[in-house]
Amino acid sequence: PPGSPPVPHTRHVRPGPRCLWTPRPAPTSPRNPDEHVNAAGYRGPLLEPTPPSAPFRIAFLGDSSTFGWGVPNEKTYAATCAANLTASGIPTESLNAGVIGYTIAQGTVRYNDLVRPHHPDVVVIAFGAINDHLHGPGQESDESKKIGRAHV
């Protein structure tokens, strides 16, 4: 409906009981063969919740920029960061929990449900401004609120 937040194409997502939607695991995306979501619902290799030998682990939460919309996993900033640290002598693995279209509220749920059980050493959070500023049906947009305050 008009005014509703956009939901990514349903072939790429599945309903999420606490987040509205989550990425649908697939070996490749029908939209882009370079995109891959693993069986646990995040990009990159599957990670054990508690690794037997603990490399430095960084988790990344965010929206399409973190997910790496349109690029292969190794070109996402999550994978690039881990590769650069590993190349500099710090064995590192990354958990890319970015989801196209996610807001900070959805990211908080994803942190609790997916990221936290993997015990990351560092969590990088990078949400853009657009998803959090979309308004739901019957709600006033942030822009109209700002304009209204300017006239008071």
Side-chain angles (χ1 to χ4, degrees):
S4 295
V7 176
H9 197 282
T10 56
R11 291 185 334 200
H12 309 131
V13 298
R14 60 185 174 190
R18 296 177 2 109
C19 291
L20 300 179
W21 70 87
T22 60
R24 184 181 302 277
T28 60
S29 163
R31 176 184 58 242
N32 184 330
D34 289 331
E35 291 179 4
H36 160 248
V37 174
N38 66 34
Y42 57 88
R43 291 201 70 184
L46 282 170
L47 303 178
E48 295 180 41
T50 305
S53 60
F56 189 65
R57 181 174 279 180
I58 305 173
F60 295 82
L61 280 167
D63 53 21
S64 55
S65 297
T66 300
F67 176 85
W69 191 359
V71 300
N73 181 62
E74 62 272 6
K75 295 207 182 249
T76 64
Y77 76 84
T80 302
C81 179
N84 288 342
L85 284 168
T86 298
S88 72
I90 303 167
T92 304
E93 58 187 15
S94 64
L95 189 157
N96 183 345
V99 179
I100 297 168
Y102 258 29
T103 65
I104 294 168
Q106 289 168 303
T108 301
V109 172
R110 191 152 168 89
Y111 170 79
N112 288 322
D113 293 351
L114 175 70
V115 173
R116 190 172 183 197
H118 282 82
H119 307 286
D121 297 296
V122 173
V123 178
V124 175
I125 301 170
F127 288 91
I130 189 70
N131 298 328
D132 283 292
H133 290 284
L134 296 172
H135 60 282
Q139 295 180 340
E140 187 178 8
S141 72
D142 289 346
E143 188 62 28
S144 65
K145 290 176 194 171
K146 184 170 62 173
I147 291 169
R149 281 193 296 266
H151 295 287
V152 174

